[in-house]
Amino acid sequence: MDTHSKPPKLMDRVKATLRVKRYSLRTEKTYCYWIRFFIRFHGIRHPTGTRAPEMHGKTGTGPTIN
C-alpha cells in the first residue's frame, strides 16, 4: 500500500466507526442513507463553505461565529 494514499472518504469513515461500535448492518445502511440525503439536500457543499445560520436553521438557536 502506498504511504501517500488519500485519507478515507466520509462514508468509509462512518461505516468503519459504526462497525467498531458493533451497530447492525441495517442501522449502518440507514445512517448512510440519511447522511447522503442530508448532503444532497444541502447542495453537496463542504461544511466549511456553509454559514452558521444555514447550519442551525432560521431560528438562530445555535452557536454563533463572530
Side-chain angles (χ1 to χ4, degrees):
M1 185 173 190
D2 188 10
T3 58
H4 298 288
S5 63
K6 295 180 182 179
K9 293 190 175 196
L10 174 66
M11 295 310 288
D12 294 333
R13 292 183 359 215
V14 168
K15 289 177 184 180
T17 301
L18 294 174
R19 289 176 186 161
V20 166
K21 293 182 179 233
R22 302 180 61 84
Y23 281 51
S24 72
L25 181 60
R26 180 69 181 139
T27 302
E28 177 185 324
K29 288 181 179 181
T30 302
Y31 277 33
C32 290
Y33 167 80
W34 281 110
I35 291 168
R36 281 192 302 272
F37 179 84
F38 181 85
I39 290 170
R40 289 181 180 143
F41 179 81
H42 290 285
I44 310 175
R45 292 182 292 174
H46 195 273
T48 58
T50 58
R51 298 184 310 265
E54 292 177 27
M55 297 297 278
H56 301 289
K58 303 209 183 294
T59 60
T61 57
T64 58
I65 300 173
N66 294 332

